[in-house]
Amino acid sequence: MDVLSDAVAAMRTGRPHSSRTAQNAPWGVRFPASDGAGFHVVLQGAAYLLRPGEAAPVPLGPGNVVFLPHGYGHALADHPDTPLEDFALEPDGSWPVPPDPGPGPDAHTLLLCGAYQLNRSRAHPLLSELPPVVHVRAGIGTHHGLRSALDLLGAELAEPHPGSDAIVSGLLDTLLVYLLRTWWLRKSQEGREATGWAAALRDPAVTAALQAMHSDPALPWTVEQLASRGGLSRAAFARRFTALVGRSPLAYLTWLRMTTAGRLLRSGDTPLRVVAERAGYTSEFAFAKAFKREYGIPPGQYRKRPAAAAGS
């Protein structure tokens, strides 16, 4: 996997939810804080994004997308002063789909909203650096991939057909990647001095090392080998990598290996020997010891515990 794909895979858990709804003014919906991440798209009409403690509501027009990666409580409304109603999931955990009110005398707003379940105990630092709100504004000829994913998702939710559940789930995963890619590309093009992961993904030497580790974390990488990928000396590479990524090359590699192992343990009945090998360990005992040091419990116990209890 590449860095961004691994960052998403490290956090994603469960099935995402989404719905396509229409509102006639006045309307206002309050979304509580959660462990997941939410997004809202204004397909037609207008809305305001409201967040507790924020002075200025964010106006949203047709084609605007807002992504809230950290699960903060927020609200959407036709006007900042409109009373809010609490949002609640259906008993089966799905998103409610209210009937379309049809054309009315007041403003008609069409929304596409959704949420992802995330495992914040293994949050990739790349995602942790995202701002509270990622706001992608409409623009002719911009964000082609994101717009295409939104068009397909909106059409599938508007007129479900056989196979829609699988299509919607796949499109939601695709949308998440496009949202993140759009933000990172925009930040890299802003012209100001980038820091943290924004700078790491623009640094050829650090990016080459990250891609190498993510493409095959099981290889016995050394700092010298990773440095040679970017054409730097060992010392210069280690300093640059640590400064931008926030941890040393081998510490990051260990984090990546353990995150990969946790995902494998959760995703099926892969034998422990195979999990250990894919995490770069030739000995099950050494792997189990490293895994317990990272997660606090042995890998077998981690596989059996409920996801919420084990943090995955």
Side-chain angles (χ1 to χ4, degrees), residues 204-262:
V206 173
T207 297
L210 287 169
Q211 295 289 17
M213 286 188 276
H214 279 263
S215 65
D216 196 345
L219 286 179
W221 295 107
T222 65
V223 177
E224 289 84 358
Q225 289 173 327
L226 294 170
S228 68
R229 290 294 182 110
L232 294 178
S233 69
R234 181 186 185 281
F237 165 75
R239 285 195 300 269
R240 185 181 299 184
F241 188 99
T242 304
L244 295 179
V245 173
R247 51 182 102 187
S248 70
L250 295 187
Y252 181 82
L253 178 61
T254 298
W255 180 90
L256 175 62
R257 287 172 168 174
M258 291 296 101
T259 301
T260 300

Side-chain angles (χ1 to χ4, degrees), residues 129 184 187 193-204 206-207 244:
E129 289 187 3
W184 287 108
K187 186 165 184 177
E193 188 66 24
T195 58
W197 274 87
L201 295 179
R202 292 173 59 184
D203 186 292
V206 173
T207 297
L244 295 179

Side-chain angles (χ1 to χ4, degrees), residues 34-156:
S34 71
D35 290 333
F39 71 87
H40 304 285
V41 186
V42 179
L43 299 176
Q44 175 185 318
Y48 284 89
L49 174 69
L50 312 171
R51 292 196 298 133
E54 296 297 319
V58 179
L60 306 174
N64 278 203
V65 183
V66 287
F67 177 55
L68 297 98
H70 304 298
Y72 296 142
H74 62 283
L76 286 181
D78 69 299
H79 189 275
D81 297 330
T82 298
L84 303 174
E85 296 183 1
D86 290 332
F87 172 86
L89 293 173
E90 298 288 356
D92 63 357
S94 62
W95 273 46
V97 182
D100 190 323
D106 300 313
H108 187 74
T109 301
L110 189 61
L111 301 169
L112 178 61
C113 303
Y116 302 92
Q117 300 177 46
L118 300 180
N119 169 23
R120 298 196 181 279
S121 69
R122 302 299 299 181
H124 192 285
L126 184 153
L127 297 181
S128 300
E129 289 187 3
L130 290 172
V133 176
V134 175
H135 184 187
V136 181
R137 293 173 174 81
I140 298 175
T142 61
H143 316 305
H144 300 291
L146 177 61
R147 299 297 170 195
S148 297
L150 288 171
D151 288 344
L152 289 170
L153 180 59
E156 200 66 37

Side-chain angles (χ1 to χ4, degrees), residues 270-281:
T270 305
L272 188 61
R273 172 185 57 80
V274 176
V275 175
E277 290 175 355
R278 293 187 183 179
Y281 291 83

Side-chain angles (χ1 to χ4, degrees), residues 65 175 204 269 280:
V65 183
L175 177 61
D269 56 356

